């Protein structure tokens, strides 16, 4: 197939960027003709840029032109959007519709139904906007506690809900978990338009490993990821904890961390996988509705169990006492107890790691995910022809 894959990169490289790049490579290696339309947020570097981006977040003439021109240049059979926020906007759907090209959209977050994209407010899950007014997002300044940004995003969600954009201009949505799919269904997306397809990561090879000597966190250093909870739990144990990643909380966390915590900074993928080889368990202490963290898939591929908050899709993808351990989100004492447990119960850690690898082989390998993605594309093309 001739495909146009669309993505708005964030300021800091993250999981969505990783998935976009991986799926582009996966599809190209399978013989598809893959074209890309990419914009990046690093062009937003002053107050006026932010204001302009906010004003255009519901419908961007810039985004419309980028995709209109990309379609005219490449002649795709299908457009697959990963992220349109903030520079592209839903105007890209109009560009595709006018060209007669169907659109598939991966739902990496909850942006189309929630102004901050996380279904989270005041450090706890919030679902007010799913069935209520999106302007709750303005009332509580849900987007970075800003008035202009929150107003712009609340208007975007409200406008496209009224216009039924998601029902009429996107042929198929891809949800990464059953939990995420359930939230979009509550928000009014028709069930026949949402297909479950998780992400994939490259296979590092079947591991032959013993439990490692340290615990590992891989991800963004931000509030919703629960890294503060992990640092507080670290004070209760002696096990070394290594933290790979960067983000707005890095300086704060480095200043208050105990001696058993080491910050590694942002690591390239081979270095992350090498860290996983020497780890005992991955830790995902999120307090938000995670979708499907790439680090979880990489851990499973590496035969590494996962200690995760029992929230959102983490409850779905981490099987308690089988592929990892569940802890209540935000509970540092419970997290510390789970960290101590994997320190002491060697046989359990080994068994959970083997189970994690098996789940990877059954669900998350590139060939399996490619097959599901190609099936979605074929179904959409057939539906649009019909």
């Amino acid at each position: 197939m001739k495909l146009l894959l669309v993505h708005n990169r964030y300021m800091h490289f993250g999981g969505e960027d990783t998935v976009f790049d991986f799926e582009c490579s996966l599809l190209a290696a399978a013989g598809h003709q893959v074209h890309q339309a990419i914009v990046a947020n690093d062009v937003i570097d002053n107050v006026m840029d932010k204001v302009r981006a906010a004003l255009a977040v519901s419908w961007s003439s810039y985004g419309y032109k980028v995709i209109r021109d990309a379609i005219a240049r490449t002649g795709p059979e299908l457009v697959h959007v990963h992220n349109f926020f903030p520079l592209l906007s839903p105007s890209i759907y109009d560009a595709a519709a006018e060209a007669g090209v169907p659109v598939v959209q991966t739902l990496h977050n909850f942006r189309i139904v929630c102004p901050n994209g996380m279904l989270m407010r005041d450090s706890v899950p919030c679902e007010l906007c799913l069935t209520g007014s999106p302007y709750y997002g303005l009332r509580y300044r849900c987007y970075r506690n800003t008035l202009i940004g929150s107003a712009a995003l609340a208007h975007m969600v409200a406008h496209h809900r009224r216009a039924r954009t998601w029902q009429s201009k996107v042929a198929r949505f891809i949800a990464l978990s059953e939990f995420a799919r359930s939230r979009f269904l509550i928000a009014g997306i028709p069930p026949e338009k949402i297909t479950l397809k998780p992400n994939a990561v490259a296979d590092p090879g079947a591991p032959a490993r013993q439990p490692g000597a340290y615990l590992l966190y891989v991800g963004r250093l931000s509030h919703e990821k629960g890294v503060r909870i992990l640092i507080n739990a670290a004070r209760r144990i002696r096990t070394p904890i290594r933290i790979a990643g960067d983000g707005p909380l890095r300086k704060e966390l480095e200043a208050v961390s105990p001696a058993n915590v080491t910050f590694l900074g942002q690591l390239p993928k081979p270095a992350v996988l090498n860290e996983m080889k020497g780890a005992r368990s991955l830790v995902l202490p999120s307090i938000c509705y995670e979708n499907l963290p790439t680090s979880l898939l990489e851990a499973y591929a590496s035969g590494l169990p996962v200690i995760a908050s029992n929230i959102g899709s983490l409850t779905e993808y981490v099987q308690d006492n089988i592929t990892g351990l569940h802890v209540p989100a935000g509970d540092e004492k419970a997290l510390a107890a789970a960290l101590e447990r994997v320190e002491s119960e060697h046989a359990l850690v080994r068994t959970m790691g083997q189970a994690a690898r098996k789940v990877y082989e059954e669900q998350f390998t590139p060939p399996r995910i490619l097959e599901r993605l190609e099936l979605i594309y074929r179904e959409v093309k057939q539906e649009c022809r019909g």
Side-chain angles (χ1 to χ4, degrees):
M1 282 178 265
K2 187 183 290 188
L3 306 167
L4 177 64
L5 272 68
V6 177
H7 188 48
N8 190 147
R9 294 195 187 278
Y10 294 107
M11 195 73 71
H12 300 285
F13 191 89
E16 294 183 29
D17 303 299
T18 299
V19 172
F20 175 80
D21 292 343
F22 187 82
E23 289 195 358
C24 285
S25 299
L26 188 64
L27 289 162
H32 299 287
Q33 196 172 338
V34 178
H35 300 278
Q36 300 179 1
I38 301 173
V39 300
N41 286 356
D42 55 11
V43 300
I44 305 174
D45 61 3
N46 58 53
V47 173
M48 285 308 301
D49 287 341
K50 292 178 181 179
V51 171
R52 280 191 288 267
L55 292 174
V57 77
S58 288
W59 205 96
S60 166
S61 57
Y62 165 76
Y64 172 84
K65 185 176 186 301
V66 167
I67 301 308
R68 182 198 64 189
D69 292 351
I71 290 173
R73 184 175 63 254
T74 63
E77 301 167 65
L78 186 143
V79 171
H80 184 168
V81 180
H82 281 260
N83 176 45
F84 62 67
F85 175 76
L87 297 174
L88 292 174
S89 88
S91 66
I92 62 179
Y93 303 140
D94 289 325
E98 290 169 15
V101 183
V103 173
V104 171
Q105 167 85 55
T106 295
L107 297 166
H108 290 285
N109 53 49
F110 299 98
R111 182 80 62 197
I112 68 169
V113 297
C114 168
N116 69 22
M118 294 187 291
L119 292 178
M120 181 179 178
R121 178 170 58 86
D122 295 335
S123 301
V124 294
C126 172
E127 299 186 0
L128 286 174
C129 292
L130 286 184
T131 55
S133 170
Y135 287 102
Y136 279 117
L138 171 58
R139 175 180 176 181
Y140 295 111
R141 299 194 181 192
C142 288
Y143 183 72
R144 300 184 179 179
N145 198 34
T146 64
L147 182 63
I148 293 178
S150 298
L153 281 158
H155 175 70
M156 186 272 287
V157 175
H159 170 75
H160 291 288
R161 179 185 292 179
R162 288 193 305 271
R164 296 184 63 80
T165 298
W166 320 126
Q167 288 84 353
S168 63
K169 294 181 181 177
V170 179
R172 188 74 61 87
F173 289 103
I174 295 174
L176 303 182
S177 68
E178 286 290 359
F179 174 83
R181 185 173 186 272
S182 72
R183 271 44 226 157
F184 290 110
L185 291 176
I186 290 172
I189 305 299
E192 66 274 11
K193 279 188 172 285
I194 312 179
T195 299
L196 174 65
K197 181 205 71 67
N199 299 325
V201 293
D203 189 348
R209 66 194 304 278
Q210 295 296 315
Y214 54 84
L215 302 163
L216 180 66
Y217 170 87
V218 178
R220 181 169 164 79
L221 305 186
S222 55
H223 174 68
E224 72 278 2
K225 298 295 186 180
V227 196
R228 287 193 183 99
I229 308 298
L230 177 58
I231 297 302
N232 291 338
R235 297 191 181 95
R236 300 172 178 268
I237 65 172
R238 296 181 179 180
T239 309
I241 299 176
R242 294 169 70 81
I243 294 180
D246 206 346
L249 295 185
R250 182 173 177 182
K251 288 185 178 180
E252 172 195 322
L253 296 174
E254 285 182 323
V256 300
S257 292
N260 59 330
V261 176
T262 301
F263 288 83
L264 306 172
Q266 193 74 42
L267 298 179
K269 192 61 62 182
V272 169
L273 295 176
N274 192 55
E275 288 290 329
M276 288 187 173
K277 289 179 182 177
R280 193 169 192 81
S281 175
L282 182 76
V283 187
L284 288 173
S286 299
I287 59 174
C288 66
Y289 287 156
E290 287 281 8
N291 220 334
L292 181 53
T294 301
S295 59
L296 185 152
L297 301 182
E298 291 169 340
Y300 278 12
S302 301
L304 193 63
V306 177
I307 300 172
S309 302
N310 59 348
I311 188 171
S313 65
L314 295 180
T315 304
E316 177 181 335
Y317 283 121
V318 177
Q319 299 168 276
D320 194 30
N321 285 293
I322 299 176
T323 62
L325 300 175
H326 289 167
V327 296
D331 189 333
E332 64 189 59
K333 292 176 67 175
L335 179 57
L339 301 181
E340 287 185 323
R341 187 177 175 194
V342 298
E343 172 65 19
S344 60
E345 298 187 31
H346 300 274
L348 176 64
V349 172
R350 189 177 301 110
T351 301
M352 291 192 303
Q354 292 168 351
R357 172 66 191 186
K358 184 178 180 181
V359 168
Y360 167 75
E361 293 172 347
E362 292 174 347
Q363 298 183 32
F364 304 121
T365 61
R368 290 184 181 275
I369 299 306
L370 174 65
E371 181 181 7
R372 294 173 73 169
L373 186 57
E374 290 175 325
L375 176 60
I376 292 169
Y377 290 168
R378 289 195 299 271
E379 288 176 349
V380 168
K381 286 180 61 181
Q382 184 174 355
E383 290 167 5
C384 291
R385 281 198 300 265

